[in-house]
């Protein structure tokens, strides 16, 4: 169905042509939930860019060795997605993570997500959609290109099995992510009446020194942080939300 509206895209000022789900519905296959949806142009609809499937596959495949320790919801999500791994084998590649890990460290294979499924940008877009849903406008003051997006569970690599083990261990961003966990975070918002299953996805945010921080948690495992400066109006809306929760 063509989406007809005068609304602008949640991420840019182009006219919207479709609806973006934040996060994508693929995460919640088989669950009862109320989606957060925002107007989107074709370029910023993550479903159309094909990134969603690769990212869901990549995150879930890397959980396979740990499923026994995970909740029933996460196990169900894995089982429902398992059949699609074959379609994403070129974009979410199961492989050893490091090119030079010491032999005595026995590490499971993880998933290499190809740069085409740009997870850093994808997380920024998710953040933008969540903000749009609350403020009802896309904030032109936010420069998403220079916004920071990082995860202690992710390391950029030029190809599969090409992460430098020692560099990964020393990554200062990982330290930063851990220190961010020490701050007090406010619970993110949900759509009514069902919200998202928290074992699959939830987020927190905080406002500090005019900077906004988001902490996304996927599959009760992966944390992704995004930080950026926003317009005074956006900061005010989020600060009010922060205080009321
Ligand atoms: Zn757009």
């Amino acid at each position: 169905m063509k989406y007809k509206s005068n609304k602008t895209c949640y991420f840019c000022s182009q006219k919207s042509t479709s609806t973006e789900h934040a996060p994508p519905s693929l995460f919640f296959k088989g669950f009862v939930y109320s989606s957060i949806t925002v107007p989107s142009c074709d370029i910023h609809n993550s479903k159309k860019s094909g990134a969603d499937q690769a990212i869901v596959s990549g995150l879930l495949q890397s959980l396979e060795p740990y499923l026994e320790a995970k909740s029933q919801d996460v196990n169900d999500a894995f089982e429902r997605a398992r059949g699609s791994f074959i379609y994403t084998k070129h974009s979410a590649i199961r492989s050893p993570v490091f090119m030079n890990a010491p032999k005595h460290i026995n590490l499971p294979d993880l998933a290499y997500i190809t740069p085409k499924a740009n997870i850093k940008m994808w997380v920024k877009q998710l953040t933008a959609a969540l903000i749009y849903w609350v403020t009802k406008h896309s904030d032109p003051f936010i420069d998403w290109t220079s916004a920071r997006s990082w995860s202690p569970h992710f390391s950029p690599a030029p190809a599969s099995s090409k992460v430098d083990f020692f560099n990964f261990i020393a990554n200062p961003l990982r330290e930063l992510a851990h220190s961010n966990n020490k701050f007090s975070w406010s619970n993110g918002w949900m759509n009514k009446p069902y919200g998202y299953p928290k074992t699959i996805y939830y987020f927190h945010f905080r406002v500090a020194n005019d900077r906004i921080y988001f902490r996304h948690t996927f599959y009760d495992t992966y944390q992704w942080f995004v930080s950026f400066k926003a317009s005074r109006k956006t900061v005010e809306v989020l600060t009010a939300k922060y205080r009321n929760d």
Side-chain angles (χ1 to χ4, degrees):
M1 199 179 82
K2 227 16 188 178
Y3 182 92
K4 275 203 171 147
S5 119
N6 295 322
K7 289 176 180 162
T8 53
C9 171
Y10 71 96
F11 201 71
C12 67
S13 53
Q14 298 299 306
K15 219 171 177 185
S16 66
T17 51
S18 61
T19 305
E20 167 80 338
H21 294 247
S25 336
L26 262 183
F27 275 91
F28 309 109
K29 222 171 159 184
F31 293 99
V32 175
Y33 65 95
S34 309
S35 251
I36 287 180
T37 59
V38 293
S40 169
C41 72
D42 282 352
I43 293 166
H44 297 118
N45 188 314
S46 65
K47 191 177 182 178
K48 288 188 176 126
S49 75
D52 295 351
Q53 188 86 62
I55 288 166
V56 165
S57 286
L59 296 178
L60 283 173
Q61 281 187 73
S62 302
L63 282 184
E64 192 166 16
Y66 313 103
L67 283 176
E68 258 180 48
K70 298 293 166 189
S71 65
Q72 189 60 48
D73 281 355
V74 172
N75 274 267
D76 289 348
F78 184 91
E79 284 310 320
R80 288 171 198 140
R82 190 196 282 275
S84 64
F85 294 164
I86 183 84
Y87 302 111
T88 51
K89 65 178 181 181
H90 298 299
S91 51
I93 304 159
R94 185 84 185 261
S95 58
V97 188
F98 301 110
M99 57 184 178
N100 56 352
K103 285 213 167 55
H104 64 277
I105 300 179
N106 204 0
L107 294 163
D109 291 354
L110 294 176
Y112 170 74
I113 301 171
T114 53
K116 198 174 159 261
N118 184 344
I119 191 166
K120 285 193 166 204
M121 185 47 81
W122 181 89
V123 175
K124 289 183 193 182
Q125 287 182 217
L126 169 59
T127 307
L130 293 169
I131 291 174
Y132 184 104
W133 198 71
V134 167
T135 60
K136 308 298 176 213
H137 71 104
S138 69
D139 184 346
F141 190 85
I142 303 175
D143 176 7
W144 289 110
T145 312
S146 68
R148 296 182 65 186
S149 159
W150 73 96
S151 167
H153 306 107
F154 172 84
S155 198
S160 61
S161 312
K162 282 287 185 291
V163 176
D164 184 280
F165 179 79
F166 301 97
N167 191 27
F168 182 84
I169 297 299
N171 190 340
L173 286 182
R174 199 156 289 109
E175 289 296 311
L176 191 57
H178 286 299
S179 68
N180 268 315
N181 282 328
K182 291 180 204 141
F183 294 113
S184 75
W185 293 83
S186 191
N187 284 321
W189 44 91
M190 296 246 192
N191 199 356
K192 289 182 171 65
Y194 300 114
Y196 293 121
K198 283 192 160 185
T199 42
I200 303 301
Y201 173 74
Y202 64 95
F203 74 95
H204 292 94
F205 70 99
R206 67 188 183 93
V207 183
N209 305 323
D210 282 345
R211 222 178 150 79
I212 297 172
Y213 297 79
F214 268 65
R215 183 179 70 191
H216 303 271
T217 306
F218 302 99
Y219 301 118
D220 230 359
T221 305
Y222 305 102
Q223 286 190 334
W224 270 91
F225 296 86
V226 178
S227 91
F228 51 92
K229 277 192 177 289
S231 68
R232 186 180 292 267
K233 194 180 164 203
T234 299
V235 169
E236 275 170 11
V237 171
L238 295 199
T239 305
K241 263 200 122 26
Y242 188 83
R243 290 206 187 108
N244 292 338
D245 280 349

